[in-house]
Each structure stands twice: as C-alpha cells, then as structure tokens.
C-alpha cells in the first residue's frame, strides 16, 4: 500500500447533512487531508464557511453549489455523502478525474443496472476510482471478511444487525423500508426489500471475498405493528402500523445459503409480535473450521459521556461510523486502478487519524 504523500490529499466534501458534517470535521482534523472545497446544494448554505456549517471554527473554505468550480479545483478525491446517489452527478465527478468515496447506499453498484456501466465508463474516461462503504453495509462486511481469514474452510457467513430505533428520528429513511405503513397495506410486502436493496450488493461483496459464485440473491421480509400510537420526535406511527422491520438478504449457491446479511429494527414497547433483541449492534458468525463468532457494539467514550448536553451528541456517533470508513479508504482509492473498487480490490484501510493529545 502506498504511504501518505508528503503533501496531503486534496479533498472536496459533497453535501453537509448529518454524515457530511461529520466528514468535514474528520477531514479538517486530519493532517493527511486538505479540505479544498465544499458542495452544498441549498442556496441558504452556499456562500457560508465549511466550518460554520459543520459546527466548528471557520476553515476558510466557502460552500458552493457550482459543480464546475469545485471540479476545477482538481481534488484528489471527492467525499460524496448525500442520502441517495445521483448517477448523473457522479458521472460528471468521475469523468473530471476526481476519485470518489461515498456512503450513499453504494457497495458494488450492481443494483444500478445499466447505470453501473455508465459509472465504469466515467472512471475510464477520467482515470478515476469509485468506492462505497459506510458502517452497515460496509464496515460490518469488512469485519466479517477479515474474521473469515482465520478459517481453512468457510461454509457460511452471517451478519445480523439489531437495533431499537425508537429515538432515531429520520422518517425520510425509515418510511421507505415500511415503518409507518398500515400492517394490512397490500403494498407493504416488498417495501423492506426495496428500502434495504443495497444489502444485496453487500451479499455479493462477501460472496466474492469467499470466492463463491452465487446462483441468486433473495430477500425475506417480516413486519411487526405497534398496538398503540407511537409518538416520536417529528412523526407518529399510529396503532396498527409498522413499527418493526426485519429483512434478510441471502446469497444462495448450490441450493444453500452461503451469505445471510439481515437487519431487525424495532420501535417502542407496544410491538406485536414483541421481538426481543439480543443486544444491539452486529453479530457476525463465520460457520467453518473453526467457527468464528463476533459481537460488535459501539459505545461513547468517557469524555463524550461527561460533556454531552443532549441525545444528539450521542446520535453523532452513528454519523461518524458512517462517514469514517470511506474517508479511511481514500489513500488506497487514490492509488487504485480506474474503475469501481470494493474492499476486495483494495489493501486493508488503516486508521490513520491523529491521536488526541490531552
């Protein structure tokens, strides 16, 4: 793996939502990176300092919605953090020669159909590389792949995510998977599979790491309803509507499941059926010789516990975990051959963030 250059990587940050703000703070605090530009699509953010938008001291970088001006800065990499990716936008960025790391529901790009070929063509034109990650999918799959390297035989890899999301206030991301939909709505059944489709790409990533060619990838979904109105910060789920979602994405080869990546999310205390969560976080099981079991959870550091003033301070941990895996991959992505890259194509990313001297 190429080491960090003597001059830092020139980075443009794309969007300033919750994850984008964490990206700005991480880039600004790391001497291996230089924030040279910031894309903010809304007029009220354009013209403001990147530090101000990220809630830190001014950085001397002004946000703009002028795409041409940002690409004219010739960044080594664009950190692309919108909620959903825009293929036309990515084609422009990649064609300009800028590499891209993203958290925008992208792992392999196979869900995009013909648009994946457009992105590959843009990479060839610009000599650039596109890489997607996040915490789940992304980081969780990397952990599973690394765990499997201890085995001389791997039969199946299972990644199970469980979470009580009652305090997670993001209806724009939760409604598409079924939350808040009437339990008897005839359109409910496919919602979990549509809303979590990026996990199909994660299944392909893990199977590729195993050297297994899949016959098919399927999704099995289940839902649970709340038996009483469930008020949350910005919306309410009425009684008889979905407050629990389970989706299991399964990679099948030779008639058996070799990869199972599943999520179980619940809200409130009036769920029916009353799914019980065996802890929160990720359980990773590599069935093989030996069988490897990992329980992965995330907790706030003592200084955050002591200084937090609201729940938002703790929710930021989720944004950090989503933002940082793509950023840590920047050196490997910049050094990679042009095209769409995954964790299977890159050397193991290293945690090259500076130690905090206290």
């Amino acid at each position: 793996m190429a080491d960090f250059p003597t001059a830092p990587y020139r980075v443009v940050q794309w969007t300033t939502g919750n994850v984008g703000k964490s990206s700005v703070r991480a880039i600004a605090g790391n001497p291996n990176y230089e924030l040279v530009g910031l894309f903010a699509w809304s007029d009220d953010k354009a013209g403001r300092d990147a530090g101000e938008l990220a809630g830190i001291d001014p950085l001397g970088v002004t946000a703009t919605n002028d795409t041409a001006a940002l690409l004219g800065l010739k960044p080594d990499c664009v950190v692309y953090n919108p909620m959903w990716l825009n293929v036309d936008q990515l084609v422009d960025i990649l064609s300009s020669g800028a590499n891209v790391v993203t958290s925008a529901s992208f792992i392999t790009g196979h869900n995009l159909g013909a648009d994946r070929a457009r992105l590959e063509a843009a990479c060839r034109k610009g000599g650039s590389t596109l890489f997607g990650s996040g915490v789940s999918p992304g980081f969780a799959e990397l952990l599973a792949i690394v765990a499997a390297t201890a085995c001389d035989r791997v039969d199946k890899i299972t990644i199970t995510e469980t979470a009580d999301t009652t305090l997670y206030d993001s209806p724009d991301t939760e409604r598409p998977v079924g939350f808040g939909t009437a339990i008897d709505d005839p359109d409910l059944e496919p919602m979990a599979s549509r809303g979590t489709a990026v996990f199909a790409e994660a299944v392909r990533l893990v199977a590729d790491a195993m050297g297994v060619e899949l016959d098919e990838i399927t999704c099995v979904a289940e839902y649970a309803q709340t038996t009483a109105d469930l008020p949350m910060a910005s919306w309410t789920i009425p009684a008889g509507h979905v407050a629990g979602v389970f989706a299991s994405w399964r990679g099948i080869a030779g008639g058996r499941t070799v990869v199972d990546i599943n999520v179980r999310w619940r809200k409130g205390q009036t769920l029916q059926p009353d799914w019980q969560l065996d802890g929160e976080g990720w359980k990773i099981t590599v069935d093989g010789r030996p069988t490897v079991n990992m329980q992965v959870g995330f907790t706030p550091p003592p200084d955050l516990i002591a200084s937090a003033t609201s729940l938002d301070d703790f929710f930021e941990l989720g944004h950090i975990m989503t933002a940082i895996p793509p950023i840590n991959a920047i050196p490997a992505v910049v050094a990679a051959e042009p095209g769409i890259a995954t964790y299977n194509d890159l050397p193991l990313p290293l945690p090259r963030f500076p130690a905090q001297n206290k």
Side-chain angles (χ1 to χ4, degrees):
M1 175 179 177
D3 206 345
F4 287 94
T6 54
Y9 294 99
R10 292 168 53 81
V11 176
V12 164
Q13 171 63 36
W14 212 272
T15 71
T16 55
N18 288 328
V19 174
K21 290 176 183 177
S22 291
S23 289
V24 169
R25 290 191 282 266
I27 294 165
N30 192 321
N32 298 307
Y33 305 117
E34 178 188 2
L35 184 69
V36 297
L38 175 66
F39 176 83
W41 62 268
S42 61
D43 291 337
D44 65 318
K45 292 183 178 181
R48 295 168 63 184
D49 186 88
E52 175 193 354
L53 291 173
I56 57 177
D57 291 338
L59 298 173
V61 174
T62 302
T64 180
N65 49 25
D66 186 338
T67 299
L70 287 172
L71 298 181
L73 296 170
K74 300 298 181 184
D76 296 307
C77 194
V78 170
V79 178
Y80 189 81
N81 295 134
M83 187 176 297
W84 312 112
L85 63 83
N86 180 312
V87 172
D88 291 338
Q89 206 171 55
L90 280 177
V91 165
D92 289 341
I93 296 170
L94 294 164
S95 296
S96 76
N99 301 286
V100 174
V101 297
T102 181
S103 62
S105 296
F106 184 96
I107 299 296
T108 67
H110 284 89
N111 286 349
L112 298 175
D115 280 336
R116 188 179 192 276
R118 291 181 59 207
L119 293 173
E120 287 185 311
C123 289
R124 290 193 298 271
K125 179 180 178 180
S128 54
T129 303
L130 170 61
F131 170 81
S133 184
V135 62
S136 177
F139 175 73
E141 283 65 39
L142 177 62
L143 285 181
I145 292 168
V146 171
T149 62
C151 307
D152 72 354
R153 189 189 80 227
V154 177
D155 302 322
K156 180 182 179 183
I157 294 179
T158 304
I159 304 172
T160 297
E161 175 183 333
T162 54
D164 185 326
T165 66
T166 307
L167 298 178
Y168 178 68
D169 185 38
S170 182
D172 288 344
T173 57
E174 293 189 299
R175 290 186 192 275
V177 303
F179 279 108
T181 302
I183 196 69
D184 57 358
D185 190 318
D187 296 327
L188 173 62
E189 180 57 31
M191 290 185 70
S193 59
R194 287 200 303 262
T196 63
V198 69
F199 285 94
E201 297 189 5
V203 167
R204 183 186 294 269
L205 172 72
V206 175
D208 286 348
M210 296 167 65
V212 173
E213 184 173 344
L214 297 175
D215 299 322
E216 61 176 326
I217 300 175
T218 64
C219 181
V220 175
E222 299 174 12
Y223 302 93
Q225 64 179 310
T226 177
T227 58
D229 289 355
L230 180 58
M232 290 171 292
S234 67
W235 62 311
T236 295
I237 298 179
H241 289 61
V242 172
V245 174
F246 169 80
S248 171
W249 283 95
R250 301 169 183 179
I252 299 170
R256 65 183 183 89
T257 299
V258 294
V259 181
D260 183 352
I261 301 178
N262 60 78
V263 297
R264 190 179 298 275
W265 302 316
R266 64 164 291 163
K267 291 182 181 294
Q269 300 304 310
T270 56
L271 203 64
Q272 185 184 61
D274 187 16
W275 294 343
Q276 298 301 305
L277 305 183
D278 183 18
E280 293 193 53
W282 290 265
K283 181 179 180 181
I284 297 171
T285 302
V286 180
D287 288 304
R289 192 174 68 175
T291 289
V292 182
N293 290 293
M294 299 172 62
Q295 188 75 40
V296 182
F298 300 92
T299 57
D303 57 330
L304 176 56
I305 295 174
S307 64
T309 59
S310 72
L311 285 174
D312 288 343
D313 293 327
F314 295 102
F315 290 152
E316 185 187 354
L317 294 177
H319 307 147
I320 291 171
M321 293 187 297
T322 302
I324 298 306
I327 292 175
N328 271 330
I330 288 176
V333 170
V334 171
E337 292 297 317
I340 295 173
T342 72
Y343 279 121
N344 295 335
D345 304 307
L346 303 178
L348 184 68
L350 300 176
R352 297 290 183 87
F353 275 79
Q356 300 298 312
N357 297 316
K358 299 182 179 180

